Amino acid sequence: MAMARTTTLLLVAAALLGASCSAWEVNIRMPTSAADVDEAVVAPLIHALRPLLGSGKHAGVECDSWVLGVEAHNVRDWKTVPASCEGYVGHYMLGKHFRRDSKIVIDQALAYVDNLKLAGNGKEVWVFDIDETTLSNLPYYAKHGFGATPFNATSFNAYVLEGSAPALPETKRLYNKLLSVGIKPVFLTERTEDQRAVTITNLRRQGISGWMNLLLKQPGFKGSAVNYKSGERQKLQDAGFVIVGNIGDQWSDILGAPEGARTFKLPDPMYYIG
């Protein structure tokens, strides 16, 4: 009975803990004896959801199949995650599945880098998106239905101004590898110029530094995300840089010539930018 009460207290504590680990990680080792209680490691949580088997349904389609359609760019132009899939997306983002999917993308990117024949002339760059690619806004989306509620620019921008978004650990592996081999990172983001200072602060707080350039959307730009990002990549190419890689969480991050020599798509079933 005492052990049952101890186990219950540990689970309650897990739900209340807060700050140092990655927002989407859950790492709970249940104690098997009283001696284990003090050694149990519990990662802080940002939401009460947990990974579950199975899925809900949206319009007769399993939510895992809907997410696959999103990632394959077959489901397009959607505004919100289907309400019936909010729980599924939340479980995916907070559990190990999202981290595993991200890891396989980054493992492929690292293998590609290892096989590159670099000129070493300082002109080779790699383009990174920021939101849901380099920094995670999961602490925000966990409070806003994991994308199942309509996007609110005012509340999201208020969150951005906190400068508290955690780094995505898999992306940091790639970022650090590129620095070590002399490829210059370039950030190309939908964030606007007035968010430059807080974005720089947030990146540095997360141990990210050494980039070549941070490109933000300028006031008055009219056009799609694809047009904006492909246009900025064209400017890099016109300036003599070689885009050896390009990574983002949205298809609009990697579509539109020049895409780069190789593109990589990270998972993001929480929102769509066309």
Side-chain angles (χ1 to χ4, degrees), residues 66-79:
W66 180 82
V67 169
L68 176 62
V70 166
E71 295 302 338
H73 208 212
N74 292 320
V75 178
R76 304 184 186 184
D77 301 319
W78 49 279
K79 301 300 183 184

Side-chain angles (χ1 to χ4, degrees), residues 4-218:
R5 283 198 299 270
T6 300
T7 299
T8 300
L9 287 172
L10 279 171
L11 291 174
V12 171
L16 296 175
L17 280 173
S20 59
C21 295
S22 300
W24 49 88
E25 288 184 317
V26 177
N27 180 23
I28 299 176
R29 179 171 64 82
M30 294 303 298
T32 57
S33 68
D36 286 341
V37 171
D38 292 335
E39 298 179 4
V41 178
V42 182
L45 307 173
I46 63 170
H47 199 278
L49 287 177
R50 293 288 186 282
L52 296 178
L53 297 175
S55 71
K57 288 187 176 182
H58 166 61
V61 177
E62 297 285 345
C63 292
D64 49 2
S65 297
W66 180 82
V67 169
L68 176 62
V70 166
E71 295 302 338
H73 208 212
N74 292 320
V75 178
R76 304 184 186 184
D77 301 319
W78 49 279
K79 301 300 183 184
T80 61
V81 170
S84 58
C85 295
E86 175 184 343
Y88 178 82
V89 171
H91 295 311
Y92 171 81
M93 294 301 300
L94 291 172
K96 294 180 180 179
H97 198 170
F98 170 72
R99 181 71 180 267
R100 288 199 309 267
D101 287 352
S102 299
K103 182 179 185 299
I104 197 168
V105 175
I106 298 303
D107 284 348
Q108 292 300 307
L110 291 171
Y112 166 70
V113 173
D114 284 339
N115 287 298
L116 280 174
K117 305 299 182 185
L118 299 173
N121 57 7
K123 291 293 188 179
E124 288 144 332
V125 301
W126 191 295
V127 176
F128 285 80
D129 175 51
I130 290 183
D131 294 299
E132 272 56 67
T133 298
T134 307
L135 298 176
S136 171
N137 299 311
L138 188 52
Y140 172 84
Y141 281 100
K143 297 177 181 178
H144 294 83
F146 298 99
T149 59
F151 179 72
N152 185 302
T154 301
S155 63
F156 180 75
N157 289 334
Y159 168 77
V160 168
L161 291 176
E162 294 174 7
S164 60
L168 284 154
E170 295 301 327
T171 302
K172 280 188 74 175
R173 285 201 297 136
L174 173 61
Y175 188 93
N176 291 333
K177 172 71 172 182
L178 296 176
L179 290 177
S180 73
V181 299
I183 297 174
K184 297 179 177 180
V186 173
F187 288 117
L188 174 55
T189 173
E190 284 270 304
R191 292 188 179 197
T192 50
E193 183 61 42
D194 60 314
Q195 295 172 330
R196 178 178 294 275
V198 72
T199 299
I200 290 172
T201 297
N202 197 160
L203 289 167
R204 288 177 174 166
R205 282 175 178 167
Q206 294 300 316
I208 299 169
S209 60
W211 59 83
M212 185 186 84
N213 208 347
L214 169 60
L215 304 173
L216 299 104
K217 188 180 288 186
Q218 299 302 305

